[in-house]
Amino acid sequence: MFKAETKILIVDDMSTMRLALREQLKRIGFNNFIECQNGDQAFNVLDEQIKKKDPVQLVLTDWCMPLMSGVELVKKMRETIHLKSLPVLLVTAERTNDNKKEALDMGANGFLAKPFTADDLKSVLTEIYTSRKKSA
């Protein structure tokens, strides 16, 4: 599993959802967060963190946001050499298999439909971590 000090970027246009994600992450042991309101802001933060040599290690992003959606963020990250392999969990109210397939096809490492529990979140993060270790 990811370490407690893993730097996690939470991206959601709703402050209440960012708070809920942060609280769920705290419940499962994480303690290092950065928050952004949209994909455009998140991409800039990711780039800035790389330049500071203090990179984000995991991204949790909502699907539907203004300026740049979560799927657009994932696509842009996968096209950027220094962000290409950064793990991303797409969190969304969209529950269809088509949405899940689209997210994974764009390069997301995991997909989690709202609402979810801390156990659901932990399970998906464990899957992402395990699959990354196997492919390393």
Side-chain angles (χ1 to χ4, degrees):
M1 182 62 163
F2 294 96
K3 295 179 182 177
E5 63 275 5
T6 298
K7 185 182 278 191
I8 301 173
L9 177 61
I10 300 170
V11 189
D12 199 299
D13 58 321
M14 295 179 57
S15 61
T16 53
M17 192 60 205
R18 290 192 309 270
L19 174 63
L21 275 168
R22 191 172 60 241
E23 291 305 312
Q24 297 262 3
L25 287 162
K26 284 181 181 178
R27 277 189 213 125
I28 59 175
F30 295 102
N31 58 34
N32 191 1
F33 313 107
I34 299 175
E35 297 181 20
C36 292
Q37 297 177 356
N38 59 62
D40 189 52
Q41 184 184 39
F43 189 81
N44 290 332
V45 165
L46 289 167
D47 197 47
E48 178 183 302
Q49 294 292 307
I50 291 287
K51 289 175 184 170
K52 289 182 178 179
K53 300 200 184 325
D54 187 22
V56 168
Q57 297 159 304
L58 175 64
V59 176
L60 276 66
T61 183
D62 186 30
W63 184 305
C64 297
M65 298 178 290
L67 301 181
M68 184 189 296
S69 72
V71 173
E72 292 168 329
L73 173 62
V74 172
K75 184 177 182 205
K76 190 169 182 179
M77 288 172 62
R78 297 310 179 230
E79 294 170 348
T80 305
I81 192 74
H82 59 278
L83 300 173
K84 189 174 240 166
S85 62
L86 183 63
V88 180
L89 172 59
L90 199 63
V91 180
T92 181
E94 305 295 330
R95 298 181 150 273
T96 70
N97 283 335
D98 287 345
N99 292 114
K100 183 175 182 176
K101 182 179 179 339
E102 180 181 351
L104 298 175
D105 286 350
M106 285 292 179
N109 300 88
F111 180 90
L112 188 59
K114 300 174 193 173
F116 55 86
T117 66
D119 287 339
D120 296 333
L121 179 57
K122 184 176 183 176
S123 177
V124 172
L125 290 177
T126 299
E127 287 175 20
I128 291 171
Y129 182 82
T130 303
S131 69
R132 290 179 53 76
K133 283 295 180 189
K134 286 180 183 174
S135 64

